[in-house]
Amino acid sequence: MKIRCLLLVALWLCALDLGSPSERCDDWGVDTMKHKPVYNGEPAKIKCPLFEAFLKYNYSTAHSAGLTLIWYWIGRGQDIEEPINFRLPDNHISKEKDTLWFRPALLNDTGNYTCMLRNTTYCSKVAFPLEVVDKDPGSCVSQAIRPEEVLMYLDYTNKNLTCPDVEGFYPAGTKPKVWWYMNCKLMDNFNERYPRGINLTFGFVREAYQADYTCVVSYKENGRDFNLTRTLRVKVVGPPDKATVPTIISPNKQVGYELTPGEALEIRCEVQFTFLKDSPQEVWWMVDGKSPEDVSDLKFNITLTEIPSSLGEMTIVKTLVVPKVTERDLKRNYTCCAHNLKGTVHQEAMVKMKVPVPRYTVELVCGLGATIVLVVLLTLVYHFYWLEMVLFYRAHFGTDETILDGKEYDIYVSYARNAEEEEFVLLTLRGVLENEFGYKLCIFDRDSLPGGIVTDETLSFIQRSRRLLVVLSPNYVLQGTQALLELKAGLENMAARGSIKVILVQYQAIKKSKVKELRRAKAALTVIKWQGEKSSYPRGRFWKQLLVEMPVKSGRTKSSGQEQDFAQPPLGDV
Ligand SMILES: *[C@@H]1O[C@H](CO)[C@@H](O)[C@H](O)[C@H]1NC(C)=O
Ligand SMILES: *[C@@H]1O[C@H](CO)[C@@H](O)[C@H](O)[C@H]1NC(C)=O
Ligand SMILES: *[C@@H]1O[C@H](CO)[C@@H](O)[C@H](O)[C@H]1NC(C)=O
Ligand SMILES: *[C@@H]1O[C@H](CO)[C@@H](O)[C@H](O)[C@H]1NC(C)=O
Ligand SMILES: *[C@@H]1O[C@H](CO)[C@@H](O)[C@H](O)[C@H]1NC(C)=O
Ligand SMILES: *[C@@H]1O[C@H](CO)[C@@H](O)[C@H](O)[C@H]1NC(C)=O
Ligand SMILES: *[C@@H]1O[C@H](CO)[C@@H](O)[C@H](O)[C@H]1NC(C)=O
Ligand SMILES: *[C@@H]1O[C@H](CO)[C@@H](O)[C@H](O)[C@H]1NC(C)=O
Ligand SMILES: *[C@@H]1O[C@H](CO)[C@@H](O)[C@H](O)[C@H]1NC(C)=O
């Protein structure tokens, strides 16, 4: 390509140069295609490339047409063409037909050699480079000369490696002496490899025989010894019958790609190719059956790595990278495809969306929070409504304890005989407990018969009552005898027989009492506090608290307030 351009430019320049016909010449530039350095001191030849590549006729037809072939050269580091001196003392350069001979080529011969074919009206020329190098010190070759590569199939038998580019130097029919070297080591009694003249026969081809093989061809010409050194690079490859379709190592069915949107998806398409001469080795990605470039909203990159391995095998890795996958990308079909002359294979990558892992901590906290809230709520509900709950329970499931216990009164009221307390007991307590809740109260001063012995009667009353309601006030302790008698009797009954229950209602706050029984009672029993106005409302807390302490009575409803509803006969007047 480069040369053609050069040639075109050259032609164009020639066309411009019409003014001076004698100078006009088709210049094909420098033909570097077959350029190959030669060793210093070894024979070399340059065949004028005009006849092979650039002109339609060969040397003999051109010669007979009256055209002459002239050689020029430009030495290294020089800038003018000069004719070749064929009359050098050593006569080492000569021309034969279309070929320029060097017997031998010397370092100073390095340069570009131009052959020009012309008559008076026609001219055409092309240049050819000659590079003469020394062998590397201590080596049989020079690194400057890249050896030609020769393929040999593994396990093949009786294969000949023929020393190249030596024909034409020595007369046909003569048998030159040939030395073979493997990596510059003279081959003498080598395993399975036999030097046979210009041929090196491989009895068996093994991978270990992959190396650079150098032949040195030695011949005599006109009494002089000449050497030709050539090197071939043998590459041992897998034989054609072992070649297969490409093998896809990744993706596979064992490795899946599970991602959450936003993460980077990176899938390797790793394919192994066996050696297959002149075969394409193609690896490509398909996304949803299309080339990734044709998938409009897919942002991706593809990187390529080629890893050659033994026997001409090749691993090609094409990594598809989607820097930020979307949910949609995770639903696509990513397929890796590979092709060689043996066929086409493909393998789908298992890409899927990661199922969100339950956020245990969050749920735990939520659950715990909910539980705590529930507990708090229940506690609050219980705290504020336990009275109602207890009362509700009692109203529906409580057993009537008043039946057959042989008692006449529900409540014996013990209080300080003082105007204020009396009013509270007779009006408030009695009013609500008897009228609203239907309990039968025993109030000594109201219910006792005149003339009886106070003590006996008090004890008798208390024994016939289910509850002893003590109205506590500073006066209760002070005033004493009657009230304290009642308290002691009640507590004694409760402690000894459990036949009565003492209820403490604190009408007025009292200081620490000197009465031992009262102190004990206060410590052991709940004290229901009267809070004045606030407590007077019959459905209020005070009364509910009080009700809970009261005996369960069936057939008694809050709303009725009717004496007739009582299961028990009104014995109060006995
Ligand atoms: C040169 O070409 C002519 C005709 O094209 C052919 O007859 C002749 O054999 C050729 N000579 C060589 C040396 O190739
Ligand atoms: C090469 O050329 C240089 C000068 O151009 C000369 O001095 C030298 O002797 C030459 N060497 C040979 C081997 O001809
Ligand atoms: C021969 O010609 C090529 C192309 O013009 C140039 O690159 C190269 O240096 C030349 N070689 C010598 C030895 O002058
Ligand atoms: C020169 O060579 C060309 C091409 O072969 C030919 O056409 C032309 O007649 C020749 N001219 C002379 C004067 O021989
Ligand atoms: C060298 O081997 C080739 C085949 O590989 C054969 O055609 C040729 O005759 C052999 N040459 C000699 C000189 O044995
Ligand atoms: C290889 O070359 C040897 C001699 O160099 C020859 O006898 C033999 O036939 C050749 N083998 C093949 C397969 O060409
Ligand atoms: C040719 O090569 C052989 C072997 O490498 C060597 O012994 C001999 O001296 C060489 N001859 C010439 C003229 O370089
Ligand atoms: C994915 O695409 C490949 C070819 O592009 C096809 O063979 C395969 O059946 C598709 N898989 C699904 C699940 O569509
Ligand atoms: C992907 O390619 C784009 C442009 O082609 C480039 O800007 C970006 O850095 C690349 N990302 C990676 C991860 O290679």
Side-chain angles (χ1 to χ4, degrees), residues 541-561:
R541 191 170 170 80
F542 172 81
W543 295 106
K544 281 180 186 162
Q545 279 180 296
L546 200 53
L547 263 183
V548 168
E549 303 295 330
M550 291 292 131
V552 180
K553 277 181 106 173
S554 56
R556 172 193 59 80
T557 57
K558 271 190 198 174
S559 52
S560 72

Side-chain angles (χ1 to χ4, degrees), residues 182-249:
M182 183 180 116
N183 292 337
C184 288
K185 188 169 185 290
L186 184 67
M187 297 183 75
D188 190 22
N189 282 326
F190 264 51
N191 250 357
E192 295 173 309
R193 283 154 293 173
Y194 319 106
R196 286 171 180 166
I198 62 160
N199 281 348
L200 177 72
T201 304
F202 283 69
F204 198 81
V205 180
R206 299 185 191 276
E207 200 184 340
Y209 298 167
Q210 183 164 294
D212 283 354
Y213 291 91
T214 302
C215 49
V216 175
V217 176
S218 182
Y219 64 93
K220 232 180 191 31
E221 196 179 30
N222 296 329
R224 289 169 69 185
D225 284 319
F226 292 110
N227 274 354
L228 294 169
T229 304
R230 307 284 185 259
T231 301
L232 290 172
R233 181 160 289 169
V234 168
K235 195 177 164 191
V236 178
V237 296
D241 55 302
K242 295 269 173 64
T244 60
V245 293
T247 311
I248 299 180
I249 292 165

Side-chain angles (χ1 to χ4, degrees), residues 475-485:
N475 292 327
Y476 187 86
V477 206
L478 283 184
Q479 285 225 346
T481 51
Q482 167 73 10
L484 279 181
L485 172 73

